[in-house]
Amino acid sequence: MNKTILVDVGSSTLKVYEQSLGTVTLIWAKSIAFKTDFNPNIGISQSNMKELVRTLTELKTKNPSVQIKLFATAIFRKLESKAKKDIVDKIYLSTGLHFNIISQDLENFYLQSALIGKYQSSEPVLLVNIGGGSTELVVT
């Protein structure tokens, strides 16, 4: 079976999805309060970093031959350049996975793409994406 695991890392939740045969299914979700003790110059707390690395390592161990893609949003966008580089490096060195902090525009593109073909209207549509660390408005 050709599948990919997609991990959405937000401000307070880590959600793991399986993408297979053209469908995406939520496998499990875990609450980790990344916004607790968050500092844009330093990053997430040491305890949250340990929990994130432990969870990703376990996920990789349980799925050794499956491609795993990480997508971080919300507070991770607020990191200063050095802190952003540090978390990307630490996750990669600890797990071998790339911690992809996606822009607001890219997240909006994904949201809009997910709805193509599912809703038809001759009028413009306002999509509201409300998350733990951000609220996005997309007009299509």
Side-chain angles (χ1 to χ4, degrees):
M1 180 195 311
N2 192 6
K3 70 178 181 178
T4 302
I5 292 179
L6 309 171
V7 182
D8 174 8
V9 185
S11 296
S12 59
T13 308
L14 188 139
K15 295 177 187 165
V16 178
Y17 299 88
E18 180 180 300
Q19 180 183 26
S20 178
L21 303 173
T23 63
V24 177
T25 307
L26 178 65
I27 301 172
W28 55 269
K30 178 178 191 166
S31 292
I32 303 175
F34 294 115
K35 57 189 166 191
T36 301
D37 296 326
F38 174 81
N39 181 317
N41 295 310
I42 298 169
I44 61 176
S45 70
Q46 285 186 347
S47 62
N48 282 341
M49 178 61 84
K50 285 179 186 175
E51 183 63 16
L52 177 59
V53 167
R54 188 193 66 71
T55 302
L56 294 174
T57 300
E58 182 179 317
L59 180 64
K60 192 171 175 184
T61 300
K62 288 181 178 179
N63 299 278
S65 60
V66 178
Q67 182 180 29
I68 299 172
K69 296 181 180 181
L70 308 179
F71 299 94
T73 60
I75 64 166
F76 295 99
R77 291 187 190 117
K78 297 177 182 177
L79 291 169
E80 295 298 325
S81 294
K82 183 182 180 321
K84 195 176 283 189
K85 181 184 178 322
D86 289 348
I87 194 168
V88 169
D89 289 349
K90 184 162 191 163
I91 296 295
Y92 183 77
L93 291 172
S94 300
T95 68
L97 299 172
H98 177 66
F99 195 72
N100 186 19
I101 302 171
I102 65 171
S103 69
Q104 185 69 62
D105 288 340
L106 186 55
E107 184 176 2
N108 290 342
F109 170 78
Y110 288 150
L111 174 63
Q112 184 176 356
S113 296
L115 295 177
I116 290 176
K118 294 184 179 165
Y119 179 79
Q120 302 291 329
S121 175
S122 60
E123 298 294 321
V125 175
L126 175 65
L127 303 173
V128 181
N129 181 10
I130 302 172
S134 60
T135 300
E136 295 89 34
L137 304 176
V138 182
V139 178
T140 63

